[in-house]
Amino acid sequence: MKELLKYTLQLADNALILGHRISEWCGHGPVLEQDIALTNTALDHLGQARSFYQYAAEQFNALPVSEKEHFFTSSAIQSIIKDGKQVDEDDLAYLRDGWDFRNTLLVEQPNKDWAYTIIRSFFYDVFNFFFYTELQKSTDVTLSAIAEKSLKEVTYHLRWSSEWVIRLGDGTDESAQRINEAIANRWQFTGELLTMSEAEKAVATSGIGVDLEKIKTLWKERVAAVFAEANLDVPANGWMHQGGKEGKHSEHLGYILAELQFVQRAYPNMQW
Amino acid sequence: MTVHSFQEKFDEKIDREDTIEPRDWMPDDYRKTLIRQISQHAHSEIVGMLPEGNWITRAPSLRRKAVLLAKVQDEGGHGLYLYSAAETLGITRDEMLEQLHSGKAKYSSIFNYPTTTWADMGAIGWLVDGAAIMNQVPLCRTSYGPYARAMVRVCKEESFHQRQGFEIMLTLAKGTEEQKKMAQDALDRWWWPSIMMFGPPDAESPNSESSMRWRIKRFSNDELRQKFIDVTVEQTKILGLTLPDKDLKWNEARGHYDYGAINWEEFWNVVKGNGPCNKERLETRRKAWEEGAWVREAALANAKKRAERKNKEASAA
Ligand SMILES: [Fe+2]
Ligand SMILES: [Fe+2]
């Protein structure tokens, strides 16, 4: 089913791109313990991305050739198909073009500073926690197994980012001002997390995917609860950006891919 | 007891190969030497995160990326154990970092070289972690307990790093012409700095007698360097690469490889701050520390508020 493949890629891309952003902190954290914690979180996201890509590759390889040819625009992937070879996790991460990436706009936003990094993680972790909790019930055994395996990590991520939201909101004047600025600028990317794409709607009906309506309220309540503890106000709903899930990205994704894919693109068809 | 009898007791312990623990009396020189050495070692671990961190976002496969992330994370962990070990000697981590940032404290010069291609991740793991292991294994039995115990954990992880590095080199060396060229280029650039990691030749650095006596040092620089070269030459043969030293030759009589003259001028120049990346590395560390100041302050302020609230609740109850 092509919708399942798109869905699996969306989950993989979210994990890969967020992990990539977080990994940019490695060696630059504000204190050694947090540097290590962030690197560990980046590793968790990368591990989840790999599980989803491996499953996506399996699905892609099972498609009839006629469908494979038009699935991605990348000529590098098309030449793999022409050679009668199978794609693997690395082909999907390193050889797809930007418009074939389905991650949400939130995760590709730059780190900027600790406050922006924390709030991006927090908004995403709250979503991810309820999302994986639901995905465990998926009728698709692979997706439910990945969700179950990842939930422990995601629970830890959520605890970590919630703690930091509270520390910054209820810390010093400067930290409160910085986290408020970060919230004001990143809030507009939260709507997309909970708005269902065509692929999401299709897989939700069949019991494979998560019905995001179910977690919308949970997300809002959790964000409100943590913000209350942090002395922070939840912004009014306002304008929400959409498009990442359909391959319409910000300028940032291009730079991420330029870095991430550089070696594979510059030296094609090699083992690393 | 007099200082004299304290000293006698300390000497007896050293002679019996007992460990010295934080609460034990120790001579001032011993404490100072250890603080210098352990903090330098800790700084090397965290500055060492930078040249490799440089390739995390560009690692050529997801598996390699995961392994590299885990490795750099390990190095941060080593820094953490070592700072903690040094703190038992009566210096704070902030004081040590201040010495690093002001340029007063040194770190291993090897990290002042740039990582320009992916092959450098292989060369560093294989050669730099390899040389570090040679230097560090004897420290697992050093006289100061907290340092020795930290080194046992560190050494275990370092040997894993070395295997991973060698595996990257092997994959490249068995790959395409471009990959082989990448591997050879990395070896050419990292070989000499790696063998300089053992420090100046014995003739110019009479091993401080006290360091030997305290088991802070067990083998001379040249002894360790020779051991490393002998092992590495054999590994290079497996890779099918060439070490950039035309004087490298097996010496039957010595039972060791002879090697060419090391450019100690370059070594001292890098130590003095003129290596290709000295300024960048230090600036990066300083920037991370300065930009993190408000974050650390916020965490402290929040912890204080929470503690106060808890106290209030407790007294109200
Ligand atoms: Fe290390
Ligand atoms: Fe290492």
Side-chain angles (χ1 to χ4, degrees), chain B residues 45 52 71-72 74-75 78 124-125 128-130 132-133 136 154 157-162:
Chain B
E45 300 284 355
E52 287 182 286
K71 185 199 186 228
V72 181
D74 283 348
E75 307 301 4
H78 298 170
I124 290 184
V128 177
D129 287 72
I133 295 168
Q136 291 170 11
V154 168
E157 292 176 349
E158 298 297 7
S159 47
F160 186 66
H161 298 167
Q162 195 202 11

Side-chain angles (χ1 to χ4, degrees), chain A residues 174-198:
Chain A
E174 181 180 4
S175 69
Q177 180 248 317
R178 282 178 182 262
I179 190 78
N180 271 305
E181 184 199 310
I183 292 166
N185 284 296
R186 291 296 180 254
W187 181 251
Q188 57 193 331
F189 298 106
T190 57
E192 190 189 10
L193 293 175
L194 297 153
T195 307
M196 290 173 87
S197 65
E198 290 309 315

Side-chain angles (χ1 to χ4, degrees), chain A residues 27 33 94 170 259 264 272, chain B residues 57 59-60 64 93 285 309:
Chain A
E33 284 83 349
Y94 288 88
D170 190 22
E259 235 180 291
Q264 288 255 4
W272 299 95
Chain B
T57 55
R64 293 286 185 212
R93 201 203 298 181
R285 286 309 321 160
R309 256 175 255 149

